[in-house]
Amino acid sequence: MVTVRAPATSANLGSGFDVFGVALNRPADVVHVEKADETTIDVRGVGNQYIPEDPEKNTVGAVARALDAPAHIEIDKGVRPASGLGSSAASAAAAAVALNELYDRERSNEGLVPIAAKGEAVVSGTAHTDNVAPAILGGFTIATDQEITQIETDISVVVCLPEVVVSTREARGVLPERTTIDKVVDTVGKAATLTAGMGRGDPELVGQGMHDTIITPVRSDLIPGYESVRETALEHGATGVTISGAGPAIIAVCHEQNQRAVANVMIDSFADHGVESRAYQTEIGGGAQLCSH
Ligand SMILES: Nc1ncnc2c1ncn2[C@@H]1O[C@H](COP(=O)(O)OP(=O)(O)O)[C@@H](O)[C@H]1O
Ligand SMILES: N[C@@H](CCOP(=O)(O)O)C(=O)O
């Protein structure tokens, strides 16, 4: 039996749609694998009732097929599905690392990213790597078709998860088909600023780089109270706030001393809109970890 823990992730970060992502210290999925003649899957934990155990429909089944690694796979879900926290990616990343170890496939961590992305394609229709890259590698990642750049950082964040469901497939269905050159120029500038902030461990620069005028405005309509939650978080110490992944979670970057205040006002603001929520006060952290072999 091989066991691997893989973290929740927050992709896009506003200006980095389908490219940027960060690993979060918590929550996380834990996946246990052992060799079998054919792949079977058991899912328990948060939201397990909404997660298929059919290997053709679960992200880990696609990973097992890609590695030619049939196994009995047990998933302990710590990342709620349809959250915007890389739930599907956490399982896929953990399974990729675990099965690579179980069958001695000797793939590098970077080499496991496209394998895990095949799991993402099963659930969202697109093999986007911006969740599985940080889920495997940790830190802040810039994932393009050509390469992945990773930056270690431990910047503090608050992630507020409302009791609302937004599937990634649904949120990809509302993307604009075209934009304007001035919005592209603005986004490039914000993305460069955010990247510089990650490199310097500077929450102020990161926050400045999180504003997005292309994707976020159309997706925020799927999250009741989004604008109010964002504004109050900024008023109480957040340096930047945007939708986490495809939502509905909202991520705020802040200095550690402001985490509690930011978390409390985000929860209160969602409540003012009749939406229950919970907030994780956490940091950008490490990637998938082998727990036992
Ligand atoms: N191992 C898995 N963990 C979570 N969701 C999974 C898994 N396998 C398949 N799914 C499906 O993927 C969807 C959740 O993925 P997604 O919408 O991308 O959520 P998130 O935004 O948290 O990644 C759910 O519909 C769920 O049924
Ligand atoms: N770039 C993707 C990221 C999806 O993240 P998730 O955590 O919601 O799965 C997108 O925005 O569609």
Side-chain angles (χ1 to χ4, degrees):
M1 168 93 68
V2 173
T3 298
V4 171
R5 177 189 188 272
T9 53
S10 184
N12 302 333
L13 297 173
S15 57
F17 177 71
D18 271 6
V19 174
F20 289 171
V22 289
L24 303 175
N25 268 336
R26 62 189 185 91
D29 281 5
V30 176
V31 170
H32 315 271
V33 298
E34 53 187 349
K35 287 185 179 178
D37 293 335
E38 61 180 15
T39 295
T40 55
I41 300 167
D42 285 334
V43 184
R44 51 182 180 258
V46 66
N48 71 309
Q49 66 270 37
Y50 304 111
I51 299 171
E53 294 182 337
D54 177 350
E56 295 297 318
K57 297 178 180 175
N58 194 296
T59 57
V60 304
V63 171
R65 287 192 295 278
L67 286 172
D68 189 20
H72 176 62
I73 304 173
E74 296 180 7
I75 307 171
D76 287 330
K77 290 299 296 182
V79 188
R80 195 200 84 182
S83 60
L85 293 178
S87 181
S88 50
S91 296
V97 173
L99 291 170
N100 186 55
E101 179 73 16
L102 184 68
Y103 278 87
D104 295 323
R105 291 288 185 261
E106 298 183 333
R107 302 283 185 107
S108 68
N109 279 343
E110 288 78 5
L112 289 174
V113 169
I115 298 288
K118 292 180 185 295
E120 293 286 72
V122 166
V123 299
S124 69
T126 310
H128 58 92
T129 55
D130 50 339
N131 286 105
V132 291
I136 292 174
L137 303 175
F140 165 66
T141 56
I142 305 165
T144 68
D145 291 342
Q146 292 71 39
E147 62 185 352
I148 299 170
T149 304
Q150 191 259 7
I151 297 175
E152 296 288 344
T153 183
D154 61 356
I155 285 177
S156 297
V157 300
V158 173
V159 176
C160 194
L161 177 57
E163 287 301 314
V164 169
V165 170
V166 175
S167 78
T168 300
R169 189 182 291 273
E170 173 192 7
R172 293 187 78 86
V174 302
L175 296 175
E177 292 187 2
R178 57 180 56 82
T179 190
T180 59
I181 195 71
D182 61 329
K183 289 186 176 182
V184 170
V185 169
D186 177 64
T187 298
V188 169
K190 296 290 193 306
T193 301
L194 187 149
T195 302
M198 290 293 185
R200 297 180 187 174
D202 180 344
E204 305 289 342
L205 273 184
V206 171
Q208 290 169 29
M210 289 169 72
H211 186 64
D212 161 50
T213 57
I214 301 176
I215 306 294
T216 306
V218 293
R219 282 182 163 180
S220 57
D221 292 341
L222 302 174
I223 306 172
Y226 172 79
E227 288 301 340
S228 302
V229 173
R230 178 176 184 273
E231 283 308 312
T232 193
L234 291 169
E235 289 164 2
H236 289 80
T239 59
V241 183
T242 191
I243 299 173
S244 178
I250 299 176
I251 185 168
V253 168
C254 58
H255 294 277
E256 185 178 3
Q257 64 264 28
N258 296 328
Q259 276 187 305
R260 181 183 298 274
V262 169
N264 288 338
V265 296
M266 293 175 84
I267 290 170
D268 290 347
S269 184
F270 265 126
D272 291 344
H273 287 78
V275 178
E276 291 296 311
S277 65
R278 66 167 299 176
Y280 296 93
Q281 299 177 46
T282 185
E283 305 77 28
I284 298 172
Q289 292 177 316
L290 186 62
C291 302
S292 66
H293 185 171

